Amino acid sequence: MKAIRTVARLTVAASVLLLAACGGGGGGGAPPTNVVTGNNNGSTPGSTDTSGSTSGSTSGSTSGSTSGSTSGSTSGSTSGSTSGSTSGSTADTTPTTPTTPTTPTTPTTTPPADTPIFAGDPPTTPTTPPSDPTPPSNPTPPSPPPFATLGSGSTDANQFGPFTTPFNGQAVITGDANRKINAPTAATLATGGPNGATQPLTTNPSFPLSQTTIQVDRTGINPANATVGSATLSVVSWNSNGTSQFTLNIPSLGYANVAFSSSSLLKGASTVSATSSPAFRINASNTSYAALGLWEIDAVRHNPDGPAILLGAFVTGYETPGSAVPTTGTATYSATHSVTAIVTKFAPDGTLDRGVVLGDSTYGANFATGDVSGNLTNMHVIAENGTTTFAAWNDVSVGAKITAGTNQFNGSATASAVPSGATTPSDAYAVTATGANTAKGQFNGAFYGPNANELAGVWSLKDPSHVVIGVAAGRKQ
């Protein structure tokens, strides 16, 4: 593989990469949709992708009687309308009191289970089960209060090519002869996120990031959670059908509420970029309730050991209240195009190489025992030259324990072998999967949505030559 040689720069350059399109890789031809304001400028064009929508309608009419019908389809966003009319007549008799129309049913906002999370293949049309014509014997209980969702409808795309190739402001990293490869620490799980019952996107909420970070410099690859500290993505002004305003706040790195705009962030696949000081790039995607992805910041002034690259993997969103996480029963979660990660290593000449991993995931949760287990499969890596040709990569198994009374879980990740018979194996980026040097790491995350509808977590791996940090998510089936 061709090694990445990045360009040194004395200002801070940042790049944030979020989950991306599987089956296509990086790049695109759509016009820029994301613009950095204030001291930030630059945008990354995205290719067009399609995500679903949700609609529902309720109608009823009364003329001495009441009738109603409800229909709906689900695939990402929600809209609804209600109409009703009442009529009656009088002919020398007391008029009949019209019947009150049936209360409209709140449409669901959860996309179908087979809808890909990240830009790529179009969603599969779900099969609608037949309705039961038999009326219920008991009255329908009142609907629970609405729970906020993230947006949908993005036509942007995740662009991994630029993330694995040099861009303006990247630091040149050449490791010392005695450079070290150290394992990432467990993700710092954020608390104090927005309340889904009271803080929809229109209230301009702030989303703290649950994340793990690493720093690459001449001394090697090392954990950086303590260096980076807390990070927050805040909505300043939300526009569901147009451009919204945001701020990114990472105080320890000098990013004090840096303002930027985007028409796709928190609406699905999104790439936000700025290449001037202070520069950053966000590459993101989201489910109904969780957003997740990867970021990069190239820093010089913050590191006494010279040029450094800081990389992060994060999740955030509308978390399930701890009291709403089940304590009995089991559930299965899965999603396609739901995993991404950064693979880092040093080339023989000491320069830094990177690749981006994409894949699918399936999980099982036993709420009675608190166990969560899962598998990240169909994994492929985009090489450091940013090509759109995927090479096969390791499967990964994860396992964790739910912390009682909370929505969070903590556990571990272990690499498996590259699947047998896979074409174009990625020898340069595949991690060790046998023996004492098997790549292992952390798996930490939380449940999202009003009733543990989704889960999302941060995972990591380390073997003698590679350090990997990534994210994954799944929807309840």
Side-chain angles (χ1 to χ4, degrees):
M1 294 286 180
K2 179 180 177 182
I4 300 176
R5 296 183 179 272
T6 54
V7 181
R9 185 174 178 178
L10 294 179
T11 58
V12 177
S15 165
V16 181
L17 167 66
L18 268 181
L19 292 176
C22 182
T33 58
N34 307 297
V35 180
V36 175
T37 60
N39 294 329
N40 309 280
N41 56 51
S43 63
T44 302
S47 62
T48 301
D49 179 43
T50 305
S51 60
S53 64
T54 303
S55 65
S57 64
T58 305
S59 63
S61 63
T62 305
S63 180
S65 62
T66 304
S67 64
S69 62
T70 305
S71 64
S73 63
T74 305
S75 181
S77 66
T78 306
S79 65
S81 63
T82 304
S83 65
S85 63
T86 303
S87 63
S89 62
T90 303
D92 299 328
T93 60
T94 302
T96 302
T97 301
T99 303
T100 303
T102 304
T103 301
T105 302
T106 302
T108 180
T109 58
T110 304
D114 54 0
T115 302
I117 290 177
F118 307 108
D121 297 339
T124 303
T125 302
T127 301
T128 303
S131 59
D132 185 356
T134 304
S137 57
N138 298 313
T140 302
S143 300
F147 195 90
T149 65
L150 300 177
S152 63
S154 168
T155 58
D156 201 350
N158 301 114
Q159 299 179 37
F160 287 115
F163 184 79
T164 59
T165 54
F167 72 100
N168 291 341
Q170 280 189 320
V172 173
I173 305 296
T174 301
D176 292 344
N178 60 347
R179 59 186 177 271
K180 304 295 183 181
I181 305 293
N182 293 307
T185 55
T188 302
L189 298 181
T191 58
N195 186 333
T198 59
Q199 294 179 275
L201 292 173
T202 52
T203 65
N204 302 333
S206 294
F207 293 94
L209 306 185
S210 295
Q211 61 181 0
T212 191
T213 58
I214 57 175
Q215 178 169 305
V216 186
D217 57 31
R218 65 177 181 81
T219 68
I221 304 173
N222 298 288
N225 285 17
T227 300
V228 174
S230 63
T232 305
L233 175 67
S234 299
V235 179
V236 176
S237 177
W238 178 255
N239 184 340
S240 61
N241 298 312
T243 300
S244 301
Q245 307 298 320
F246 302 88
T247 59
L248 177 65
N249 191 34
I250 311 178
S252 64
L253 299 182
Y255 283 78
N257 293 317
V258 177
F260 66 96
S261 62
S262 172
S263 61
S264 58
L265 188 61
L266 301 185
K267 298 177 183 176
S270 179
T271 300
V272 181
S273 177
T275 55
S276 62
S277 180
F280 66 90
R281 179 163 53 231
I282 299 174
N283 196 329
S285 193
N286 58 269
T287 59
S288 293
Y289 304 105
L292 59 170
L294 311 171
W295 59 258
E296 174 185 342
I297 295 174
D298 290 6
V300 175
R301 66 185 182 187
H302 297 285
N303 186 33
D305 291 312
I309 294 178
L310 290 161
L311 301 168
F314 73 89
V315 297
T316 189
Y318 288 110
E319 295 185 4
T320 303
S323 60
V325 176
T327 56
T328 61
T330 61
T332 299
Y333 298 79
S334 66
T336 57
H337 306 179
S338 57
V339 180
T340 195
I342 309 168
V343 184
T344 60
K345 67 184 185 71
F346 284 104
D349 64 357
T351 56
L352 176 64
D353 278 355
R354 287 177 291 176
V356 175
V357 172
L358 305 171
D360 306 332
S361 60
T362 302
Y363 317 85
N366 186 323
F367 294 108
T369 63
D371 293 318
V372 177
S373 60
N375 292 286
L376 315 183
T377 59
N378 194 29
M379 305 279 270
H380 291 76
V381 64
I382 301 174
E384 82 279 0
N385 60 4
T387 62
T388 59
T389 301
F390 291 168
W393 200 75
N394 304 77
D395 288 348
V396 178
S397 62
V398 295
K401 199 80 171 179
I402 301 170
T403 303
T406 76
N407 56 31
Q408 299 179 348
F409 51 81
N410 296 277
S412 60
T414 304
S416 302
V418 175
S420 176
T423 58
T424 61
S426 54
D427 296 334
Y429 291 95
V431 297
T432 304
T434 59
N437 290 328
T438 295
K440 297 181 179 181
Q442 308 287 335
F443 177 54
N444 315 92
F447 292 97
Y448 292 81
N451 298 294
N453 307 69
E454 300 170 352
L455 64 75
V458 180
W459 59 277
S460 63
L461 294 172
K462 183 261 179 187
D463 71 6
S465 302
H466 305 81
V467 171
V468 185
I469 57 173
V471 291
R475 303 184 183 97
K476 185 183 291 184
Q477 301 303 295

